[in-house]
């Protein structure tokens, strides 16, 4: 066992193994270690000591089988995962890449006997350094003979003001690092704003500010301090303090910090976490960059606005430096993870940026170097995403779910304060409880997305809590905690028994439906359809109310027809809420309806008043077609399973029944065509903001012009203000 100590680096865990000669190496001792940041002791960038030098392994052809072999060589029983694209940071300096195209079966005693290109033979860069995540369980009989090294794993801000200790988030305090003996301070000799910038980023804050050290100096003189770290020298671009050059007091934490005091940091929160209304207004969110598809604040697929169209970023060269620029721009801290391969779902529309390369000092992603995309460069399967450090708010302490089959489901209980100051758990009235409220609970507990919001939970009666303490809860779905939702001031619950309390089922993944807006614009037209051809449509309530007074079967109805192609770009299949035993058979069209309302079709005036509406029960939710490499799973024929697979779409052609809005009673004028998918939130999705599509329309009584079809919030206020200025001559006439 050899321990390497360096003045300015964190020592990493080393393991020695002696191997028999193989085609790849002669008889010598190899050593393995886990390096990089941020990480736990059982994960990291895998490095091997060969021919007197530490080197990395390229992620080409890397697999879980490779990770199993390497984790056993590191003294763990097995691997639970592996990482690519230098998730734990790149090998630094002139570190060689010792192995490439490693292919193990998983049973080998050594990585040296696995297939590979041979020692030192690689065509990779350190952007492709592989990492492993080992199961935190040692091999039987394994004895860790390593001296526990000093390293920075956790960092916190400890507030010293009484008021500050109760206020969330904590934005100012003494910087403390955790080691084997507990928490210790950092000597502030040579401490710089760049160091503070890194610490604030770890705490979930975008920026640092000057701090009044006089109070803290008086405070520290009255306290017994233990200084573990000194001489910190960050560049300011690091995502973790462990990546900065620093020195440890190797023997133990000491009380000595000559001429100095404990390092103190004060951070500026982003707009979502500002504690005053004035500050929240002052700190505005950027308008040209956003995150989509994430279950929590501070995570998601990165999308940028170029021109008037939102698009994604290709993951080529995507790393923590670039991700951190995005995180800080959005008001969060530095990046925890830079994710590749559309890990937060695939976007639709253009891909605006490729090979983004930030230095880490930029104030905006647009200041970084990048390449404009071409059609053959990238696909949406390569959309970049991220997870940011966000401030700790403690929301998970005020709500819990109990009684379910797993930790992802159960009856919701909230912590409340009685008049005498005692904290107790209570129930939430299930009346009006739905998907949006469940979304907030799942987010608050860090359990992903909401699958269902339940109004009865008699089958989850597992605690002695019986009192309803909250009712009338109404959330938008965007809140960080239930306390931010509307609710009754005093409990008013018609069904006050515990069996009628609210419950949730959460899920790590969710579907995400998006309408193909350009196809609506391309396929819109008007048809005068004879009444004798509309009996089925009338039975399914697809005509306006005035149709009931028509002289059937004579006359006609004027229909605004269009095709709708609905894509599932999420990470879970979209399935009807109701089980197939409750689907309704419609003999007129010869199929089962699996949802009461699947889409709303509306024609609205410029001020948003509905002038005509239609609705479409899901004739059958099925995979009409899929992206390349994705197989269809759902088909409605023969009472088949209904749904939309991830990467597939359901196409309702313009020429099928009910695929229209009845505009027989609409007068000529300027209107807005709106289509909303899953309008009642019957089925959970990762993003409901992209479920609406709006188009500008001009109807002259005979023909209709449609333009500017956009998804959800992409339909800007500026476009609505210009609504009356319809450039008819610039658009195709559709008659």
């Amino acid at each position: 066992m050899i321990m390497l100590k360096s003045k300015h680096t964190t020592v990493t865990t080393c393991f020695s193994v002696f191997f028999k000669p193989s085609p790849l190496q002669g008889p010598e001792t190899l050593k393995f270690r886990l390096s990089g940041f941020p990480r736990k002791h059982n994960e990291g960038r895998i490095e091997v000591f060969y021919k007197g030098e530490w080197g990395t392994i390229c992620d080409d052809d890397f697999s879980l089988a490779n990770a199993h072999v390497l984790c056993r060589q590191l003294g763990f029983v097995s691997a639970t995962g592996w990482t690519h694209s230098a998730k734990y940071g790149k090998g630094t300096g002139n570190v060689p890449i010792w192995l490439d195209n490693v292919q193990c079966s998983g049973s080998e005693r050594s990585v040296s006997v696995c297939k590979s290109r041979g020692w030192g033979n690689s065509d990779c860069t350190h952007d492709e350094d592989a990492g492993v995540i080992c199961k935190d369980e040692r091999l039987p009989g394994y004895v860790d003979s390593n001296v526990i090294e000093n390293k920075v794993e956790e960092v916190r801000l400890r507030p010293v003001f009484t008021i500050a200790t109760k206020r969330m988030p904590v934005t100012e305090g003494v910087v403390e690092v955790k080691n084997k003996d507990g928490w210790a301070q950092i000597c502030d000799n040579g401490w710089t704003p760049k160091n503070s910038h890194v610490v604030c980023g770890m705490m979930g804050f975008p920026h640092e500010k000057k701090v009044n050290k006089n109070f803290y100096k008086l405070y520290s003189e009255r306290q017994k301090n233990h200084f573990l770290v000194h001489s910190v020298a960050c560049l300011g671009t690091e995502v973790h303090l462990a990546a900065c050059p620093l020195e440890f007091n190797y023997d133990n934490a000491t009380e000595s910090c000559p001429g100095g005091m404990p390092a103190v940091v004060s951070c500026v929160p982003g707009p979502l976490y500002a504690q005053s209304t004035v500050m929240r207004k002052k700190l505005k969110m950027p308008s040209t960059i956003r995150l989509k598809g994430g279950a929590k604040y501070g995570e998601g697929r990165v999308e940028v606005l170029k021109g008037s169209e939102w698009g994604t970023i290709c993951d080529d060269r995507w790393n923590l430096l670039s991700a951190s620029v995005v995180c800080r721009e959005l008001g969060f801290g530095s990046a925890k993870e830079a994710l590749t391969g559309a890990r937060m779902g695939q976007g639709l529309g253009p891909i605006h940026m490729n090979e983004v390369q930030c230095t880490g000092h930029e104030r905006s992603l647009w200041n970084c170097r990048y390449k404009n995309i071409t059609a053959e460069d990238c696909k949406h399967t390569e959309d970049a995403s991220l997870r940011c450090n966000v401030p700790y708010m403690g929301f998970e302490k005020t709500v819990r779910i109990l009684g379910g089959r797993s930790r992802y489901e159960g009856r919701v209980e909230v912590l409340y304060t009685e008049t005498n100051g005692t904290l107790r758990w209570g129930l939430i009235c299930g009346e009006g409880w739905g998907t949006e409220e469940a979304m907030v609970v799942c987010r608050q507990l860090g359990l992903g997305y909401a699958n269902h919001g339940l109004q009865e939970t008699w089958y989850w009666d597992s605690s002695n809590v019986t009192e309803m303490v909250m009712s009338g809860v109404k959330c938008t779905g965007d809140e960080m905690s239930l306390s931010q939702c509307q609710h009754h001031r005093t409990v008013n619950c018609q069904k006050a028994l515990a069996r009628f309390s609210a419950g949730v089922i959460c899920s790590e993944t969710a579907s995400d439906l998006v309408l193909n807006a350009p196809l609506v614009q391309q396929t819109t037209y008007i048809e005068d359809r004879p009444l004798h051809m509309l009996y089925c449509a009338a039975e399914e309530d697809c005509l306006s109310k005035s149709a009931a007074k028509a002289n059937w079967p004579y006359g006609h109805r004027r229909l605004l027809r269009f095709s709708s192609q609905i894509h599932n770009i999420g990470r879970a299949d979209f399935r009807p809420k109701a089980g197939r035993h409750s689907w309704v058979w419609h003999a007129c069209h010869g199929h089962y309806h699996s949802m009461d309302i699947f889409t709303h079709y509306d024609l609205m005036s410029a001020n948003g008043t509905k002038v005509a509406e239609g609705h479409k029960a899901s004739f059958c939710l099925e995979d009409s077609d899929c992206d390349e490499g994705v197989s269809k799973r759902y088909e409605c024929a023969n009472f088949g399973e209904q749904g939309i697979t991830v990467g597939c779409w359901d196409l309702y052609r313009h020429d099928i029944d009910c695929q229209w809005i009845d505009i027989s009673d609409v007068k000529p004028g300027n209107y807005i065509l709106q289509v909303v998918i899953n309008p009642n939130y019957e089925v959970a999705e990762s993003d409901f903001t992209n479920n609406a599509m709006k188009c500008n329309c001009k109807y002259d009584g005979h023909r209709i012009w449609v333009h500017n079809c956009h998804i959800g919030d992409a339909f800007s206020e500026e476009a609505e203000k210009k609504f009356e200025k319809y450039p008819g001559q610039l658009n195709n006439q559709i008659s």
Side-chain angles (χ1 to χ4, degrees), residues 1 50 121 144 154 166 172 189 211 277 294-295 302 334 353 391 404 409 425 462 509 605 666 697 704:
M1 182 67 229
Y50 175 71
N121 185 7
D144 188 356
E154 281 188 68
K166 298 179 181 179
E172 182 176 305
N189 286 335
V211 62
T277 306
V302 184
S334 51
M353 304 171 87
E409 64 180 31
W425 291 98
S462 65
T509 58
S605 63
V666 175
C697 302
I704 193 161

Side-chain angles (χ1 to χ4, degrees), residues 515-587:
L515 186 69
N516 184 340
L519 183 65
V520 174
Q521 185 166 318
Q522 294 161 14
T523 58
T524 305
Y525 65 97
I526 288 175
E527 179 193 9
D528 289 334
R529 193 166 182 82
L531 283 172
H532 69 83
M533 301 176 69
L534 292 172
Y535 280 103
C536 273
E539 180 186 318
E540 296 193 2
D541 198 26
C542 295
L543 301 174
S544 63
K545 293 178 181 178
S546 65
K549 301 175 183 178
N551 186 23
W552 292 77
Y554 308 105
H556 67 271
R557 304 299 293 179
R558 176 156 288 184
L559 308 176
L560 176 63
R561 308 196 70 144
F562 51 87
S563 296
S564 63
Q565 188 182 77
I566 300 165
H567 293 245
N568 183 0
I569 62 172
R571 291 189 289 152
D573 295 352
F574 184 92
R575 300 296 309 280
K577 180 179 180 180
R580 55 194 296 162
H581 64 280
S582 60
W583 295 353
V584 180
W585 171 256
H586 279 246

Side-chain angles (χ1 to χ4, degrees), residues 279-448:
M279 186 63 72
R280 281 195 291 271
K281 289 180 179 179
K282 187 177 178 181
L283 300 168
K284 291 184 178 180
M285 295 287 281
S287 58
T288 59
I289 189 164
R290 68 186 185 186
L291 300 179
K292 286 288 186 179
K296 309 173 191 172
Y297 279 100
E299 68 176 30
R301 180 178 62 253
V302 184
E303 295 187 352
V304 292
L305 184 65
K306 196 172 185 181
S308 60
E309 197 168 12
W310 287 97
T312 60
I313 297 175
C314 186
D315 63 12
D316 292 351
R317 295 200 173 191
W318 184 247
N319 60 21
L320 284 168
L321 282 177
S322 300
S324 289
V325 171
V326 173
C327 288
R328 290 184 188 270
E329 185 177 358
L330 289 170
F332 304 110
S334 51
K336 282 196 296 188
E337 292 183 80
L339 303 170
T340 58
R343 288 272 300 279
M344 293 287 180
Q346 298 181 30
L348 280 179
I351 302 174
H352 286 319
M353 304 171 87
N354 187 23
E355 295 191 24
V356 177
Q357 296 181 68
C358 302
T359 64
H361 293 292
E362 296 87 353
R363 301 285 286 192
S364 170
L365 186 69
W366 294 105
N367 301 137
C368 301
R369 290 171 52 199
Y370 68 91
K371 290 183 179 179
N372 290 315
I373 204 77
T374 58
E376 61 274 7
D377 281 341
C378 281
K379 297 180 180 178
H380 282 296
T381 54
E382 301 169 84
D383 283 343
S385 53
L386 51 76
R387 287 192 177 97
C388 306
N389 286 312
V390 297
Y392 176 70
M393 302 296 291
F395 287 139
E396 78 286 352
K397 294 180 179 179
T398 60
V399 66
R400 67 186 184 186
I401 56 177
L402 297 174
R405 295 161 296 182
S406 72
R407 70 186 188 95
Y408 287 90
E409 64 180 31
R411 188 173 69 177
V412 181
E413 297 182 4
V414 291
L415 193 63
Y416 73 102
T417 307
E418 292 188 320
T419 52
N420 62 4
T422 305
L423 291 174
R424 302 189 73 170
W425 291 98
L427 305 176
I428 299 175
C429 180
E431 294 169 12
W433 184 265
T435 303
E436 299 101 308
E437 291 73 37
M439 287 168 64
V440 177
V441 172
C442 294
R443 179 184 300 120
Q444 191 171 345
L445 290 170
L447 297 177

Side-chain angles (χ1 to χ4, degrees), residues 12 627 681:
T12 49
D627 292 329
Y681 305 136

Side-chain angles (χ1 to χ4, degrees), residues 595-647:
M595 293 177 66
D596 291 336
I597 300 290
F598 180 50
T599 52
H600 273 167
Y601 303 150
D602 298 307
L603 196 66
M604 305 183 297
S605 63
N607 64 9
T609 303
K610 290 183 182 180
V611 296
E613 62 182 318
H615 82 265
K616 182 175 181 56
S618 59
F619 284 174
C620 67
L621 288 173
E622 67 175 3
D623 297 326
S624 302
D625 207 349
C626 301
D627 292 329
E628 184 180 348
V630 181
S631 300
K632 298 180 183 180
R633 297 182 61 187
Y634 303 106
E635 186 176 18
C636 63
N638 301 317
F639 195 35
E641 290 289 348
Q642 294 193 25
I644 307 176
T645 304
V646 175

Side-chain angles (χ1 to χ4, degrees), residues 504-518:
V504 298
I505 300 177
C506 306
S507 173
E508 291 183 350
T509 58
S511 60
D512 186 15
L513 298 188
V514 180
L515 186 69
N516 184 340

